[in-house]
Amino acid sequence: MTTVLCVPQWQGSASDRAPRLMAGARRAAGLVPADAVVTVPVVEAGGDKAAGVRAYDVLVENQRLTREALAGIDDRVITVGGDCAVDLAPIAAARVRHGEALTVLWIDAHPDVYSPRTLPSGAFHGMVVRALLGDGPAGLALEQPLTPQQVIIAGERAGDPSEHDYLARTGLRRYGVDDLERALDGLRGPVYVHLDLDVLEPAAFAATCYPEPGGVRPRRLADLVSQVDDVVGAAITEYAPSGDALDPGEAETIRLLGAALTGQVRT
């Protein structure tokens, strides 16, 4: 049994298009195959910057609301956002359940290891991986942090020098687009798969707040994801459609990736 958890949060992004993440989350939630859909009643207004984080108060409250929604779900959860910070509560729950056996496969054009000190905008979606490792402000960091050995970053091609320095110091495994498939070398379950849609090639899928050239084609990404064994949870994030009508090409891509995450696409 699979439940889609729709978290239409946008405040973790600093993009002018960030509010479109709300529509993207709700739209994508209906495209991922599942037995049920649960929508978190997130705060939709902006918030105040504190602790170096934009809309800190709203993000902390949305984390509480997401944890509350998760507590009522016994199925495998596919979280649909919204910005990348929607992953915090689901990954925290997976960490509690699976302990140090859990691996997080973070598929993203960006490594998301900024800190409030190194990211002037305070956009928390650029700090999420660091928060998963326990390095984040109160309310936005895991109480039972992951270790660097539990995280693999794949598809990254746009990290800042300060982020690459952090990756080198912590020893986080990092793979780009050319060697994407190497991210699966030796990978064993249980695995949580985070999928930021900006990992995709913009010529094939451009409906994100921060598209980056030189990305992965949707079919290749679906093939990769379908090879991951023992997926205990996953997320699709950062869908920011430009229009009010569903774009058929965007819908086809999200359906393909959702099917791969739920084991309905095989190579």
Side-chain angles (χ1 to χ4, degrees):
M1 301 286 285
T2 299
T3 293
V4 162
L5 183 69
C6 176
V7 189
Q9 173 180 282
W10 62 274
Q11 296 92 338
S13 173
S15 169
D16 291 341
R17 297 186 63 199
R20 295 300 303 170
L21 295 171
M22 290 188 290
R26 296 186 175 107
R27 198 170 296 176
L31 299 172
V32 177
D35 300 289
V37 177
V38 173
T39 299
V40 178
V42 296
V43 178
E44 295 189 1
D48 297 325
K49 187 174 183 179
V53 175
R54 184 187 185 100
Y56 172 79
D57 52 340
V58 170
L59 294 174
V60 171
E61 174 62 8
N62 285 347
Q63 286 301 306
R64 185 190 69 78
L65 293 167
T66 303
R67 290 194 299 270
E68 190 173 90
L70 281 169
I73 302 173
D74 292 328
D75 303 339
R76 179 176 63 169
V77 173
I78 307 295
T79 302
V80 176
D83 62 68
C84 287
V86 303
D87 262 326
L88 273 182
I91 292 177
R95 171 67 175 84
V96 170
R97 178 171 296 182
H98 301 286
E100 292 190 2
L102 179 71
T103 299
V104 173
L105 179 60
W106 194 266
I107 303 175
D108 198 317
H110 311 87
D112 296 344
V113 292
Y114 282 109
S115 76
R117 298 176 300 280
T118 59
L119 187 57
S121 72
F124 185 69
H125 72 163
M127 310 178 196
V128 180
V129 170
R130 195 153 173 162
L132 294 175
L133 298 175
D135 185 6
L140 296 176
L142 264 59
E143 293 183 4
Q144 296 183 32
L146 302 174
T147 66
Q149 293 72 34
Q150 289 179 269
V151 179
I152 301 170
I153 295 171
E156 187 264 313
R157 59 190 184 276
D160 178 86
S162 69
E163 292 185 283
H164 289 161
D165 176 68
Y166 179 84
L167 293 174
R169 286 189 286 108
T170 56
L172 283 172
R173 286 169 285 177
R174 166 181 167 257
Y175 301 95
V177 174
D178 291 343
D179 59 349
L180 182 70
E181 284 72 19
R182 286 188 57 208
L184 302 190
D185 290 350
L187 180 62
R188 299 289 182 271
V191 180
Y192 185 101
V193 180
H194 163 87
L195 204 167
D196 184 328
L197 292 168
D198 69 20
V199 78
L200 294 170
E201 165 55 43
F205 189 96
T208 66
C209 291
Y210 294 95
E212 299 288 350
V216 185
R217 291 281 172 175
R219 180 74 245 184
R220 181 185 175 196
L221 183 57
D223 288 346
L224 177 86
V225 169
S226 69
Q227 295 175 53
V228 180
D229 292 326
D230 197 10
V231 175
V232 297
I236 296 176
T237 66
E238 301 282 348
Y239 177 34
S242 58
D244 294 329
L246 181 64
D247 180 277
E250 294 169 7
E252 180 182 0
T253 294
I254 293 171
R255 285 194 188 100
L256 175 66
L257 296 173
L261 287 170
T262 55
Q264 299 182 35
V265 170
R266 292 290 173 188
T267 55

